[in-house]
Amino acid sequence: PRSSRPTVPTSTTRSGAPSASSPPRTSSARVHLDYIEAGANIIITASYQATIQGFESKGFSKEQGENLLTKSVEIAHEAREMFLKQHPDQSTPLRPILVAASIGSYGAYLADGSEYSGDYGEAGTLEFLKDFHRRRLQVLAEARPDLIAFETIPNKLEAQAYVELLEECNINIPSWFSFNSKDGVNVVSGDSLIECAKIANECAKVGAVGINCTPPRFIHSLILSIRKVTDKPILIYPNSGERYDAERKEWVESTGVSDGDFVSYVSEWCKDGAALIGGCCRTTPNTIRAISRSLNQYYPAP
């Protein structure tokens, strides 16, 4: 996600709760619109857990699954178009509104919490992961997003699979790789974050490297680690700090931080070198609104 001013942080988020603002045609687009109105410059499609294999397991045909993936990008485009009709002066070359197509890890498809462990068992081979992700990547790229977001990458193997697919499928849309960590040192599988970041750094098709769905308290040290191996923009969009219970399939609220506490980290992350800043699981449009205000103070508009 390079721009003419890549050092200026940008608010980014996955979609969350709908707003009561003037609704576009679909409720899903209304969710995206809520984040744009809160100040997000990048909206991420609701395709993180959406896979052709997952749709087929629910009785959809392959074609129907592909159409649903395409629709996720179209809905985000729809939200942006509606916002710009209402606010034509709000997107500029320096601060555009971009659509990033989300690609979650194999563990996100399994929905068993393994995106927070990177333990795929017998499925943990390079060729298996490439075969699993290939067609979804192609379909999302064909839908013409501005960016492709490879999110919550839990291990080095899956990062390598993505790099090879970008080359083999001749994807020319700028991508980012974001990993997740539960100790502030390694990715969740135990693989070295530095080694994972090196894989992303060596791929010319990857425009930014960073961290998502990780507690805010770990971000400082993770940024410093990534900076050791890349000059590419660093993006970070942590979760609220809560813990996901894979057995109960819910977030444990008692470990989270408030929007105010979350945003208190923003200036530190800017000083550390983060170029794009936003929120992941359990953050809301209010979080993004607060981040946007903080960034506008740190980097006044030209």
Side-chain angles (χ1 to χ4, degrees):
R2 293 183 184 274
S3 70
S4 58
R5 204 174 172 207
T7 58
V8 177
T10 305
S11 299
T12 123
T13 184
R14 290 191 196 160
S15 294
S19 73
S21 57
S22 301
R25 288 188 294 110
T26 68
S27 59
S28 298
R30 196 158 55 238
V31 174
H32 289 305
L33 183 60
D34 202 32
Y35 281 94
I36 299 173
E37 291 176 341
N41 301 106
I42 299 175
I43 52 174
I44 303 176
T45 62
S47 54
Y48 173 75
Q49 272 185 301
T51 63
I52 296 167
Q53 298 90 332
F55 288 130
E56 287 180 325
S57 72
K58 298 299 182 181
F60 292 90
S61 68
K62 180 179 180 181
E63 182 180 7
Q64 287 173 319
E66 291 180 357
N67 288 340
L68 287 169
L69 288 172
T70 299
K71 186 65 176 175
S72 72
V73 179
E74 292 174 347
I75 288 170
H77 283 154
E78 177 187 343
R80 175 174 61 186
E81 289 166 7
M82 182 159 194
F83 178 80
L84 292 177
K85 284 181 181 178
Q86 297 173 346
H87 310 280
D89 60 335
Q90 292 299 302
S91 181
T92 70
L94 289 178
R95 297 206 173 172
I97 298 170
L98 304 175
V99 171
S102 172
I103 294 182
S105 68
Y106 176 66
Y109 154 76
L110 295 176
D112 61 358
S114 57
E115 74 233 71
Y116 300 108
S117 71
D119 183 5
Y120 295 161
E122 294 181 359
T125 69
L126 185 64
E127 289 306 316
F128 177 90
L129 292 173
K130 286 168 63 176
D131 288 343
F132 177 82
H133 288 296
R134 181 176 287 105
R135 185 57 189 153
R136 173 168 60 156
L137 171 59
Q138 291 171 329
V139 171
L140 287 171
E142 289 165 3
R144 305 191 70 172
D146 302 299
L147 308 164
I148 297 176
F150 294 95
E151 303 188 277
T152 327
I153 306 171
N155 55 43
K156 187 165 62 173
L157 186 69
E158 199 152 25
Q160 184 63 40
Y162 290 148
V163 164
E164 294 188 16
L165 284 176
L166 286 171
E167 296 293 345
E168 293 171 11
C169 298
N170 194 29
I171 303 299
N172 293 314
I173 298 170
S175 301
W176 79 55
F177 279 22
S178 58
F179 301 89
N180 59 335
S181 172
K182 55 189 175 185
D183 62 6
V185 178
N186 301 308
V187 298
V188 293
S189 66
D191 290 342
S192 163
L193 171 63
I194 289 178
E195 291 182 10
C196 291
K198 282 181 179 178
I199 291 173
N201 183 64
E202 291 168 3
C203 179
K205 295 178 182 290
V206 176
V209 185
I211 298 291
N212 77 294
C213 214
T214 295
R217 66 184 182 275
F218 293 141
I219 297 300
H220 169 72
S221 61
L222 296 169
I223 293 173
L224 298 184
S225 292
I226 294 171
R227 283 183 60 187
K228 293 177 182 178
V229 294
T230 187
D231 291 326
K232 294 182 180 184
I234 295 175
L235 77 155
I236 57 101
Y237 49 116
N239 58 35
S240 66
E242 298 165 80
R243 180 179 60 83
Y244 185 73
D245 187 320
E247 292 185 3
R248 293 161 57 189
K249 295 188 182 299
E250 61 184 31
W251 289 86
V252 180
E253 295 185 9
S254 61
T255 58
V257 297
S258 68
D259 285 344
D261 291 336
F262 185 104
V263 173
S264 70
Y265 288 100
V266 169
S267 61
E268 177 183 319
W269 296 334
C270 290
K271 293 174 184 175
D272 292 337
L276 299 98
I277 296 175
C280 197
C281 292
R282 307 290 284 181
T283 62
T284 70
N286 285 335
T287 315
I288 297 305
R289 187 172 289 108
I291 291 172
S292 182
R293 290 191 187 119
S294 181
L295 295 181
N296 286 336
Q297 292 173 359
Y298 197 87
Y299 288 98

